[in-house]
Amino acid sequence: MKIKFLGTAAAEGFPAVFCNCEYCNKARELGGKNIRTRSQSLIDNKILIDFPSDTYAHFLSNGIKGHEIEYLFITHPHADHLSTDDLYMRQGAFAHNMKAPILKVYGSKSSIEKIPKYYKNISLNSIDLYETVKFDGYEITALPARHMARGVSVIYIIKGDKTILYAHDTGYLFDEVLDYFKNNKVYFDMITLDCTNGVIPITDEGGHMGFDNLKRLLKKLEELGAIDGKTIKYFNHFSHNINPLQEELEKVAVTMGAKISYDGLEVEV
Ligand SMILES: [Zn+2]
Ligand SMILES: [Zn+2]
Ligand SMILES: [Zn+2]
């Protein structure tokens, strides 16, 4: 399985759209991996996760043909994960000869309801917590995120020939989610976890995580047998309010056996 990180910032982007803070200016100056757009990933050139306003730019900069993508899974209805306007462009004079005639969209009821029903050539599918969607050898399971009201925001287990935990945006994982991993003997070949707060402390209930929460979460996941030394560990979804340098973030992550995502990074799992 391959996962490509298309956008790795928090809601405002990094540098943020209108921000003149020290970190945003530093990111603009350094460029490269320090430039982060809104959250989105692509699995095996087939399954898109989230649809922010940067989607079109992601397609262009990564050579992605939007019409080939068959599946879209939405984590939650915040604008940096679901910006619906460009989904309208899948119809009539806007889109010809699409290889995937229908884009199958999955998400919580709240995410799906945000997409206008009159949009053409997309199918809208609400999924419940703990529901698994199966297609073409993949199994994708939605679990509750600690981010919005229960059931509005989800994280995903994405199972193909390997298993990935995709957990953005969320605070420290709920006990019920950890129990689910334990009871179902889930093992992850890769995990990508919310690191919005980086070095800035945030409570486990804060809706996002930083290094401190992640340190404890990794330990817990290891105790449960859900990850081990072979699991590929990435932190993702960064805010401009934390240390801006990819290099600096990497220095902290490496002490935890983890890596830092950046826009355009492809990982072979
Ligand atoms: Zn977000
Ligand atoms: Zn800033
Ligand atoms: Zn969010």
Side-chain angles (χ1 to χ4, degrees):
M1 273 172 101
K2 272 186 202 157
I3 176 168
K4 186 152 196 173
F5 290 98
L6 302 174
T8 60
E12 62 279 30
F14 190 171
V17 185
F18 293 107
C19 190
N20 186 28
C21 81
E22 183 196 340
Y23 294 159
C24 285
N25 288 328
K26 189 86 181 160
R28 286 186 190 99
E29 182 193 316
L30 291 167
K33 294 175 184 175
N34 299 294
I35 302 293
R36 301 179 188 277
T37 57
R38 268 58 72 87
S39 192
Q40 187 173 42
S41 296
L42 181 63
I43 312 269
D44 294 339
N45 206 37
K46 189 181 180 83
I47 307 160
L48 196 59
I49 307 175
D50 286 335
F51 201 86
S53 55
D54 292 325
T55 298
Y56 176 50
H58 291 164
F59 285 180
L60 291 176
S61 56
N62 292 276
I64 296 164
K65 293 172 184 158
H67 71 89
E68 291 182 348
I69 294 167
E70 296 171 62
Y71 296 91
L72 168 61
F73 283 77
I74 303 294
T75 58
H76 63 297
H78 280 160
D80 60 319
H81 297 257
L82 178 57
S83 172
T84 62
D85 287 354
D86 274 346
L87 288 171
Y88 182 70
M89 300 301 160
R90 257 195 148 265
Q91 61 181 301
F94 301 126
H96 302 287
N97 306 323
M98 288 184 289
K99 203 167 160 191
I102 304 291
L103 176 69
K104 300 168 191 84
V105 187
Y106 294 86
S108 68
K109 193 167 170 278
S110 307
S111 291
I112 292 300
E113 279 175 354
K114 196 179 164 186
I115 305 169
K117 283 194 179 63
Y118 61 85
Y119 281 14
K120 294 198 176 80
N121 301 325
I122 57 177
S123 77
L124 300 175
N125 307 279
S126 291
I127 44 173
D128 292 327
L129 292 177
Y130 299 104
E131 188 178 340
T132 300
V133 181
K134 296 180 187 179
F135 56 92
D136 305 348
Y138 294 92
E139 292 182 15
I140 301 188
T141 306
L143 303 171
R146 199 196 287 263
H147 188 62
M148 299 173 82
R150 184 179 169 80
V152 173
S153 181
V154 302
I155 57 175
Y156 289 113
I157 299 175
I158 303 163
K159 196 165 178 272
D161 55 358
K162 297 287 173 63
T163 304
I164 298 173
L165 173 63
Y166 194 87
H168 315 282
D169 306 354
T170 183
Y172 193 88
L173 299 187
F174 286 122
D175 284 345
E176 63 178 90
V177 171
L178 297 169
D179 288 345
Y180 179 91
F181 296 161
K182 190 180 170 195
N183 297 337
N184 292 282
K185 296 190 169 52
V186 182
Y187 173 77
F188 296 109
D189 299 287
M190 181 191 179
I191 52 175
T192 168
L193 303 172
D194 186 295
C195 191
T196 309
N197 272 54
V199 294
I200 301 171
I202 182 170
T203 66
D204 285 348
E205 295 78 27
H208 286 291
M209 289 187 282
F211 288 120
D212 175 61
N213 318 77
L214 288 165
K215 199 172 281 179
R216 284 181 287 113
L217 181 57
L218 289 180
K219 190 164 173 266
K220 184 72 189 173
L221 290 171
E222 230 172 280
E223 279 168 21
L224 297 174
I227 63 168
D228 61 17
K230 280 187 242 153
T231 302
I232 301 167
K233 306 170 188 80
Y234 269 91
F235 300 155
N236 184 24
H237 196 279
F238 298 97
S239 159
H240 66 132
N241 291 314
I242 64 171
N243 189 320
L245 301 169
Q246 171 79 11
E247 260 178 54
E248 297 302 312
L249 294 170
E250 281 172 0
K251 278 180 199 161
V252 184
V254 80
T255 66
M256 298 159 69
K259 292 179 173 172
I260 299 292
S261 68
Y262 56 87
D263 286 22
L265 167 72
E266 187 165 74
V267 181
E268 179 89 48
V269 183

